[in-house]
C-alpha cells in the first residue's frame, strides 16, 4: 500500500465522514461558472447602511485592531442587552448572559458543542437550514426530524410530542424560518416550550431573521416565554438584519451557567469576532425602531416582486411571512426532480436557485420544491424575471 493511500484513509476523521459539500454554496459556484443570476445564496447584493460602514471604518481608524474580550466587546454586549430590553422587555446581564461570536454559524456550533454529548438527540424541524445536520454530526448527536407540512408548513403536535424522549437534549427552532418563510405563532412556541419543560430539554433558537417579518407577523423569542429563560439558548447575528453577511458578527444569549460553557468553547474555537466590526455592531444595535420598520417594508416590496415573477412563470408557492426566501412548488413544470430543474435554470435559463431536497434529510423530501431568495437589488430581481420568463416558452 502506498503511503499516500494510507494517509488518505487515516487523516479523514469519522466526524466529517458524512459531510457533503453545501448544496447552496455549490449552486453559487455553478452560478458563477455559467454567469447565472444568483437567487440561491441568501446574501444581499445591495450596500449595507452607510452609518454602520462608517462606524467600522472609524473603529479601524481609532486602532481598535487587537483582540476584543473573548466573549465580546463591552460596548456591543451592552448594546445587545439594551436592544432586547427595548424590543422584547427581556433583561439580560451583558456580563454573564451574552457571548459575541463569529456569526450565528459559530454561535450555533459553539452552543451545541457546549451542551450536547455524543448520543444525545436533537429535534429539528424539516425542511431545515442545512447547517444543523453537520452541526449535529460534529457533536455526535442523533438528529430527530419533525416534518413541517406544505402548504403552510405547520407541524403535527402529536408527531412533535412523540419525537421527545429521555435522550432528547435540545430542539432547534428557526423562526422566521429558512427555507419556508414560516413565522412560528405564539401558540406553537408555547407548545414547544411546554414540551421542553416537561422533558427537561433546551430550546436552541436561530433568530437571525427576527426583523424580516411581513403582514403583521410578530417574532417572539422562546426565551421571552414564562419559564423559558433558563432553558433557552438564543442565537442571532448582524448578518441579515444589517446586510453584512461577510462581517461574521453574531451573539448567543443564554443563562449564566450555559453561557459559561459556551464561552469556553467559543474561546478555543475562534477567540473572538472581528474587534472593529463589533464596535460597528454596537452602533447598529442602537439604531431606532424606524430602521427595522423600514427593513421589513423594504423586503415586503421585494417579496411582492418575486411572487409576481413566480406567478408569471407558473411556479406555485406560499407567500412567506418572514425571512427572504420563497419555497416554491415546481410540480406543474414537469421536471424529473428539483436538481434537474435547478441545473436547467442555471445552465439554460440563467438563474440559480436551491434544490428543495437539500433542506430534507429523508429521501424524496423536497424533490418538487425549489428555494429562491429575494434579498437582491430590483435590477437583479428584474433581470431574473426576464430570464425566468424563458421558462414559459420551453
Ligand atoms: C437560518 C440561518 N441561520 C444562520 C445563518 C448564518 O448566519 P451567520 O451569517 O450569522 O453565520 C443563515 C444564513 O443564511 C440562516 O439562514
Amino acid at each position: 500500500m502506498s503511503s499516500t493511500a494510507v494517509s488518505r484513509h487515516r487523516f479523514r476523521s469519522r466526524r466529517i465522514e458524512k459531510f457533503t459539500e453545501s448544496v447552496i454554496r455549490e449552486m453559487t459556484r455553478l452560478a458563477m461558472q455559467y454567469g447565472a443570476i444568483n437567487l440561491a445564496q441568501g446574501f444581499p447584493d445591495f450596500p449595507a447602511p452607510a452609518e454602520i460602514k462608517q462606524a467600522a471604518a472609524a473603529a479601524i481608524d481609532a486602532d481598535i485592531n487587537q483582540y476584543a474580550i473573548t466573549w465580546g466587546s463591552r460596548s456591543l454586549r451592552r448594546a445587545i442587552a439594551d436592544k432586547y430590553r427595548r424590543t422584547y422587555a427581556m433583561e439580560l446581564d451583558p456580563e454573564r448572559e451574552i457571548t459575541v461570536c463569529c456569526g450565528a454559524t459559530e454561535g450555533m456550533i459553539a452552543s451545541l458543542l457546549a451542551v450536547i454529548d455524543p448520543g444525545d438527540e436533537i429535534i429539528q424541524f424539516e425542511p431545515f437550514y442545512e447547517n444543523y445536520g453537520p452541526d449535529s454530526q460534529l457533536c455526535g448527536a442523533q438528529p430527530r426530524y419533525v416534518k413541517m407540512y406544505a402548504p403552510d408548513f405547520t407541524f403535527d403536535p402529536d408527531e412533535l410530542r412523540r419525537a421527545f424522549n429521555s435522550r432528547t437534549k435540545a430542539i432547534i427552532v428557526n423562526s422566521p424560518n429558512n427555507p419556508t418563510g414560516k413565522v412560528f405563532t405564539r401558540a406553537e412556541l408555547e407548545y414547544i416550550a411546554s414540551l421542553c419543560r416537561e422533558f427537561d430539554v433546551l430550546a436552541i433558537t436561530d433568530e437571525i431573521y427576527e426583523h424580516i417579518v411581513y403582514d403583521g407577523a410578530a417574532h417572539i423569542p422562546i426565551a421571552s416565554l414564562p419559564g423559558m429563560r433558563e432553558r433557552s439558548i438564543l442565537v442571532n447575528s448582524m448578518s441579515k438584519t444589517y446586510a453584512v453577511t461577510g462581517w461574521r458578527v453574531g451573539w448567543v444569549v443564554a443563562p449564566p451557567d450555559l453561557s459559561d460553557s459556551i464561552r469556553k468553547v467559543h474561546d478555543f474555537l475562534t477567540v473572538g469576532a472581528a474587534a472593529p466590526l463589533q464596535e460597528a455592531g454596537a452602533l447598529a444595535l442602537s439604531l431606532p425602531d424606524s430602521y427595522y420598520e423600514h427593513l421589513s417594508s423594504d423586503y415586503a416590496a421585494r417579496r411582492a416582486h418575486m411572487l409576481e415573477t413566480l406567478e408569471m412563470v407558473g411556479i406555485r408557492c406560499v407567500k412567506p411571512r418572514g425571512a427572504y426566501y420563497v419555497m416554491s412548488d415546481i410540480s406543474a413544470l414537469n421536471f424529473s426532480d428539483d436538481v434537474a430543474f435547478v441545473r436547467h435554470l442555471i445552465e439554460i435559463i440563467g438563474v440559480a436557485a436551491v434544490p428543495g431536497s437539500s433542506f430534507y434529510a429523508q429521501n424524496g423530501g423536497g424533490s418538487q420544491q425549489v428555494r429562491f431568495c429575494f434579498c437582491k437589488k430590483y435590477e437583479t430581481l428584474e433581470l431574473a424575471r426576464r430570464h425566468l420568463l424563458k421558462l414559459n416558452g420551453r
Side-chain angles (χ1 to χ4, degrees):
M1 202 186 295
S2 80
S3 61
T4 317
V6 171
S7 52
R8 284 267 152 74
H9 176 73
R10 242 166 73 74
F11 300 130
R12 197 179 62 224
S13 79
R14 276 192 286 281
R15 219 176 280 119
I16 61 116
E17 239 165 25
K18 292 197 188 124
F19 278 25
T20 50
E21 187 191 14
S22 150
V23 180
I24 298 179
R25 281 182 275 283
E26 186 191 345
M27 291 306 135
T28 295
R29 214 188 47 238
L30 272 180
M32 283 162 80
Q33 188 183 329
Y34 285 92
I37 296 163
N38 190 354
L39 299 188
Q41 204 176 0
F43 60 82
D45 64 350
F46 45 80
E51 62 268 51
I52 300 179
K53 291 191 293 188
Q54 279 152 14
I60 292 176
D61 227 24
D63 265 320
I64 303 183
N65 295 318
Q66 310 309 327
Y67 301 122
I69 301 170
T70 175
W71 47 83
S73 77
R74 193 156 282 135
S75 54
L76 177 53
R77 281 181 289 116
R78 282 194 184 141
I80 292 169
D82 288 346
K83 171 140 190 320
Y84 279 82
R85 184 181 309 110
R86 270 197 329 271
T87 314
Y88 302 113
M90 286 169 70
E91 285 298 332
L92 306 179
D93 178 352
E95 295 308 319
R96 298 164 68 223
E97 294 180 300
I98 297 171
T99 305
V100 174
C101 46
C102 301
T105 303
E106 196 227 331
M108 182 58 76
I109 187 65
S111 300
L112 291 175
L113 286 170
V115 301
I116 299 291
D117 282 315
D120 287 346
E121 290 189 6
I122 303 177
I123 299 176
Q124 297 166 36
F125 289 100
E126 188 189 47
F128 45 72
Y129 171 59
E130 64 170 356
N131 276 32
Y132 307 147
D135 283 350
S136 305
Q137 285 169 31
L138 282 175
C139 29
Q142 194 58 40
R144 271 249 180 186
Y145 298 105
V146 173
K147 271 198 171 0
M148 296 192 289
Y149 293 95
D152 54 356
F153 297 104
T154 45
F155 61 86
D156 176 339
D158 294 329
E159 264 176 46
L160 180 61
R161 190 184 173 79
R162 281 198 299 276
F164 280 76
N165 64 64
S166 59
R167 288 182 303 279
T168 313
K169 184 68 82 60
I171 176 169
I172 297 178
V173 183
N174 167 221
S175 179
N177 185 260
N178 171 12
T180 64
K182 173 185 175 69
V183 179
F184 284 63
T185 63
R186 180 176 289 276
E188 286 173 325
L189 295 172
E190 277 173 351
Y191 180 65
I192 295 168
S194 72
L195 292 174
C196 287
R197 287 191 296 268
E198 182 182 336
F199 288 87
D200 193 18
V201 163
L202 290 172
I204 306 186
T205 60
D206 180 339
E207 308 191 7
I208 187 163
Y209 299 101
E210 67 174 326
H211 287 294
I212 306 177
V213 285
Y214 314 110
D215 308 330
H219 171 66
I220 304 164
I222 278 198
S224 68
L225 299 180
M228 285 306 287
R229 264 297 280 288
E230 65 265 30
R231 57 175 65 259
S232 298
I233 298 179
L234 182 164
V235 178
N236 204 336
S237 116
M238 292 183 70
S239 286
K240 313 289 176 170
T241 305
Y242 307 104
V244 289
T245 58
W247 282 20
R248 318 307 306 130
V249 179
W251 58 90
V252 177
V253 172
D257 57 334
L258 298 183
S259 289
D260 195 48
S261 310
I262 293 164
R263 285 175 174 190
K264 285 182 185 132
V265 179
H266 157 74
D267 189 6
F268 290 118
L269 273 182
T270 64
V271 181
L277 303 184
Q278 293 192 44
E279 294 312 316
L283 178 128
L285 274 103
S286 312
L287 289 173
D289 288 349
S290 55
Y291 174 81
Y292 306 103
E293 284 152 21
H294 176 260
L295 182 77
S296 59
S297 61
D298 179 73
Y299 273 126
R302 290 176 213 272
R303 176 187 66 157
H305 190 287
M306 186 78 234
L307 292 175
E308 199 178 86
T309 301
L310 295 178
E311 199 182 316
M312 287 162 94
V313 295
I315 298 180
R316 285 195 303 259
C317 62
V318 179
K319 209 173 177 182
R321 297 184 74 228
Y324 48 46
Y325 307 96
V326 184
M327 192 69 151
S328 56
D329 176 348
I330 55 160
S331 52
L333 298 181
N334 289 322
F335 278 85
S336 56
D337 63 22
D338 56 327
V339 176
F341 175 69
V342 169
R343 281 199 164 268
H344 178 81
L345 268 194
I346 294 177
E347 293 170 16
I348 311 290
I349 303 292
V351 174
V354 183
S357 51
S358 64
F359 304 104
Y360 290 81
Q362 281 124 32
N363 276 347
S367 67
Q368 290 296 322
Q369 290 176 329
V370 166
R371 191 198 74 177
F372 294 91
C373 70
F374 55 84
C375 48
K376 304 294 173 189
K377 290 186 229 165
Y378 281 102
E379 61 194 83
T380 309
L381 295 174
E382 197 51 51
L383 202 56
R385 172 179 291 182
R386 263 189 270 145
H387 285 310
L388 285 169
L389 281 171
K390 287 187 249 165
L391 277 168
N392 284 343
R394 189 170 66 92

